[in-house]
Amino acid sequence: MLKNYLIIFFISMVPLIELRGAIPYAVGFGLPLLQSYIICIIGNMLPVPFIYLFARRILEWGADKPVIGKFFSWCLEKGHKGGVKLQEKAGRGLFAALLLFVGIPLPGTGAWTGTLAASLLDMDFKSSVIAVLLGVILAGIIMGLLSAGVFGAIAAVF
């Protein structure tokens, strides 16, 4: 059981997969949903302060390096595009837009991209972290309900 909890904790920390992949894994392997939900939120949020404080500087530093430059430039571009979309749609409601950007579980959205976008938009740290946390909570609820429904339907058929 502990092994599976560690797996979902680490899955929820992985960029692009995050909590959106960890919760279906947990439900699929029969882990209790509430405990899994809490572990996934903690795992998904753990990198957020580091992303906000350091990712932008590291990516800008590495964007022109021979081996890593292409990937770092891609990450900067993805964060910048996400930030521009947020700002265009949000106007003055950037907090709510960031929350929904992170909270609606679509490919390419999530805590990593949302935090990088907030950093590139120079949102303040506290507002960014709170918006991302609320978005992660929302995404967890959505994924928990979807996963429980899908796996419940599969179990009913078989």
Side-chain angles (χ1 to χ4, degrees):
M1 182 81 83
L2 178 63
K3 177 184 169 188
N4 284 331
Y5 283 132
L6 285 172
I7 289 171
I8 63 169
F9 178 77
F10 288 118
I11 289 173
S12 64
M13 291 175 62
V14 175
L16 301 176
I17 298 173
E18 302 181 26
L19 163 135
R20 302 145 201 271
I23 287 181
Y25 178 93
V27 172
F29 282 91
L31 296 174
L33 188 56
L34 182 60
Q35 290 92 326
S36 300
Y37 175 72
I38 292 167
I39 290 168
C40 290
I41 288 173
I42 294 168
N44 204 174
M45 287 303 296
L46 191 64
V48 166
F50 301 101
I51 296 165
Y52 183 89
L53 296 171
F54 302 114
R56 180 180 183 176
R57 289 183 221 156
I58 292 169
L59 291 172
E60 288 172 349
W61 167 83
D64 62 348
K65 303 296 185 256
V67 176
I68 58 174
K70 190 173 183 177
F71 175 70
F72 280 31
S73 295
W74 177 82
C75 290
L76 275 172
E77 183 179 319
K78 182 152 181 62
H80 181 71
K81 282 182 182 177
V84 168
K85 283 182 184 177
L86 274 176
Q87 206 154 30
E88 285 173 357
K89 292 180 180 178
R92 295 179 57 192
L94 196 54
F95 179 89
L98 179 59
L99 186 156
L100 292 174
F101 179 81
V102 173
I104 308 289
L106 297 171
T109 66
W112 281 74
T113 307
T115 305
L116 181 58
S119 173
L120 293 171
L121 290 172
D122 294 320
M123 279 183 71
D124 69 285
F125 178 78
K126 184 178 177 182
S127 295
S128 300
V129 171
I130 292 171
V132 169
L133 174 62
L134 294 173
V136 167
I137 289 169
L138 176 61
I141 291 169
I142 293 169
M143 291 308 299
L145 292 172
L146 288 174
S147 298
V150 168
F151 286 107
I154 290 171
V157 171
F158 296 102

